[in-house]
Amino acid sequence: MTARIIDGKTIAADLRGKITDAVHRLRRDRGIVPGLAVVLVGGNAASEVYVRNKSKAVAEAGMHPLDLHLPDSVSAAELLQQIARLNADPAVNGILVQLPLPAHIDARKVIATVDPAKDVDGFHPLNVGRLASGLPGLVPCTPMGCVMLAQAVHPVLAGLEAVVIGRSNIVGKPVAQLLLAENATVTIAHSKTQDLPSVCRRADLLIAAIGRPEMVRGDWIKPGATVIDVGINRIPREGGKSRIVGDVAYAEAAKVAGAITPVPGGVGPMTIACLLLNTLRAACAQNGLPVPVS
Ligand code: NAP
């Protein structure tokens, strides 16, 4: 069997097109331009690239990007003050604080300071609780993208046996909650799980969010299963260069799976598209309008 490739780039581009159209209508009919503030603290090179890409995507969707770059030395009090200012600014509909933060700043406190209505990362405890309780709220972007990719193969996820490897607050736990909300039967595996290959072989839908290059092997996969690879791992290549691989051994897995996301070009593009969707959703909710893209 050769797996169908789930083309995250195309699915994300389609979603971004719908969001751009909706933003255009919002501006034309209501004079509203959704604004996203991205807060970056310090000079982490990878974070700078992420932030640049996010701001570019925001502008391409016709939204208003607002980058706030603070020095490594910024105090926790000053950062919290800046977030309070963004919370109060009606032109800012979404606030994203790029993680990781410098060690002297408590990320949990920062996340809890963001207005839950503007929490486009979906990390605020109130939004986490809403997701766990099945209430509407802002949902983390990468997990939302994973579920959309799974739905590209299985429009109905109800009854599927889903295994999520990883239990982080950013990916593993929220993706499991979303799958549960779709009535999948969900197992969350982690570093203490016994006989992980056997657990994975049960899965009709396998989501790998581990951060270990190519850990999931071909013989861990049930023939015909759908595999969503969240991992982004940079590994060295000959000549001092490097390349990006996922958490799944792609070449092996693609011979067994029914469908699989590539890395890069799978989950990554969906994360940005879902960030735009959350910003649009937040702007509509703050203006008492229905969400124009579902
Ligand atoms: P994380 O916070 O480090 O969590 C990793 C999870 O994997 C933990 O729950 C850990 O278990 C589990 N794990 C680690 N080693 C394991 C093993 N040997 N067997 C079973 N489980 C194991 O990572 P994350 O933030 O969730 O990110 C996961 C991956 O997704 C990373 O590669 C990251 O770069 C990528 N990512 C991609 C995107 C995107 O947009 N595509 C977004 C976010 C993250 P314990 O809890 O027991 O330690």
Side-chain angles (χ1 to χ4, degrees), residues 26-263:
L26 207 56
R27 181 198 289 254
R28 186 194 60 200
D29 301 342
R30 308 265 180 179
I32 296 168
V33 181
L36 175 67
V38 179
V39 181
L40 175 64
V41 180
N44 178 316
S47 292
E48 280 179 14
V49 174
Y50 288 141
V51 166
R52 238 193 340 265
N53 287 344
K54 285 170 186 169
S55 298
K56 189 166 160 262
V58 169
E60 280 171 8
M63 302 190 197
H64 183 224
L66 192 153
D67 288 351
L68 182 61
H69 198 160
L70 299 167
D72 234 334
S73 59
V74 73
S75 69
E78 166 67 9
L79 176 57
L80 295 184
Q81 220 168 44
Q82 291 286 351
I83 291 173
R85 185 180 60 76
L86 295 170
N87 283 343
D89 185 344
V92 173
N93 302 108
I95 302 169
L96 181 153
V97 181
Q98 183 65 45
L99 302 175
L101 291 168
H104 68 280
I105 295 176
D106 181 351
R108 285 171 307 181
K109 214 169 181 175
V110 174
I111 289 166
T113 303
V114 173
D115 179 348
K118 298 189 175 186
D119 169 39
V120 286
D121 256 340
F123 295 162
H124 189 286
L126 199 75
N127 283 320
V128 174
R130 282 179 179 151
L131 177 59
S133 309
L135 297 171
L138 288 163
V139 166
C141 303
T142 300
M144 197 199 311
C146 290
V147 171
M148 287 179 179
L149 292 176
Q151 284 172 328
V153 181
H154 310 275
V156 177
L157 297 170
L160 288 189
E161 192 78 48
V163 172
V164 178
I165 319 174
R167 57 173 163 180
S168 72
N169 291 335
I170 294 174
V171 190
K173 281 183 202 154
V175 86
Q177 296 282 7
L178 287 171
L179 292 170
L180 197 57
E182 294 293 333
N183 297 311
T185 302
V186 185
T187 302
I188 307 176
H190 47 76
S191 67
K192 304 290 184 290
T193 297
Q194 292 193 7
D195 195 2
L196 185 58
S198 294
V199 173
C200 292
R201 275 192 287 270
R202 293 208 306 257
D204 304 309
L205 173 62
L206 181 64
I207 302 203
I210 317 164
R212 312 249 162 194
E214 302 182 322
M215 193 181 98
V216 176
R217 308 305 303 258
D219 63 0
W220 295 23
I221 293 165
K222 177 176 172 176
T226 296
V227 179
I228 308 289
D229 188 353
V230 187
I232 300 178
N233 308 289
R234 192 171 283 282
I235 59 167
R237 214 168 48 169
E238 275 174 35
K241 294 191 172 165
S242 64
R243 69 188 176 102
I244 303 280
V245 298
D247 289 342
V248 177
Y250 182 84
E252 288 177 17
K255 288 187 189 144
V256 186
I260 186 166
T261 57
V263 177

